[in-house]
Amino acid sequence: MQHPPPPQLETAVSQLRVAIALFLEVREYGEVITLARTAEQTLEDLAREAKQAPRFRGLNGSHQRLGAEAEKAFAKLGVKCGDLRRHSWGLPIEFGLEAEAMRLINRAVEKYRLLHARAASFILVYERRRDVLMRRASY
């Protein structure tokens, strides 16, 4: 007999689903960042409780790689990642928010996958779209 998932897991998955939907619709990056960050923290806590925390060590490299690629893209503009929000120099401010939103969603998705053997369809759709977006942009 399977136990029902804890309410925190359902809430985190719902937050992640909404964050991904908003991100893919290119809307409300501030809201996406908030939802993804909250979902990621909850999923990380649940994974630790499930004694899967050692698997997190392998994730650090991918986060560093994504972060390094984002830093390179921002360096072409002559700014640091944190400075982009303060100094847009006529560029759409969403550029920096979009990269941060994708980074946080990626982290939440990785932690979701630690808890689920099979990914939900919204995760698979996001991963396919993310790969296309990353090829087009310099994230």
Side-chain angles (χ1 to χ4, degrees):
M1 181 171 152
Q2 286 187 336
H3 297 284
Q8 309 98 302
L9 179 59
E10 290 180 17
T11 301
V13 170
S14 177
Q15 290 169 331
L16 182 56
R17 180 177 284 130
V18 171
I20 287 172
L22 289 172
F23 180 80
L24 294 178
E25 293 173 9
V26 189
R27 293 182 21 204
E28 306 296 333
Y29 291 130
E31 186 70 22
V32 171
I33 289 168
T34 301
L35 288 166
R37 183 176 285 135
T38 305
E40 182 219 355
Q41 185 60 52
T42 302
L43 293 167
E44 182 175 0
D45 293 345
L46 291 170
R48 281 198 180 122
E49 287 175 17
K51 297 193 187 328
Q52 294 181 358
R55 292 175 59 186
F56 282 109
R57 289 188 196 111
L59 300 178
N60 293 334
S62 63
H63 296 324
Q64 290 169 355
R65 181 182 52 78
L66 289 171
E69 290 173 9
E71 287 286 349
K72 287 178 194 172
F74 291 127
K76 289 178 185 176
L77 298 172
V79 294
K80 295 179 183 175
C81 284
D83 293 340
L84 190 61
R85 289 190 189 104
R86 292 191 299 274
H87 308 288
S88 67
W89 294 310
L91 295 172
I93 201 72
E94 289 82 15
F95 179 76
L97 295 178
E98 181 181 13
E100 179 68 4
M102 180 182 276
R103 185 183 71 80
L104 289 169
I105 289 173
N106 288 339
R107 289 176 57 159
V109 165
E110 288 173 346
K111 290 169 183 163
Y112 170 92
R113 285 187 163 278
L114 290 173
L115 294 167
H116 295 84
R118 291 179 44 153
S121 60
F122 76 94
I123 296 288
L124 298 174
V125 167
Y126 168 73
E127 289 174 334
R128 283 193 294 270
R129 295 279 304 275
R130 175 192 63 198
D131 292 342
V132 170
L133 287 171
M134 289 184 76
R135 274 187 244 125
R136 278 195 238 156
S138 298
Y139 293 132

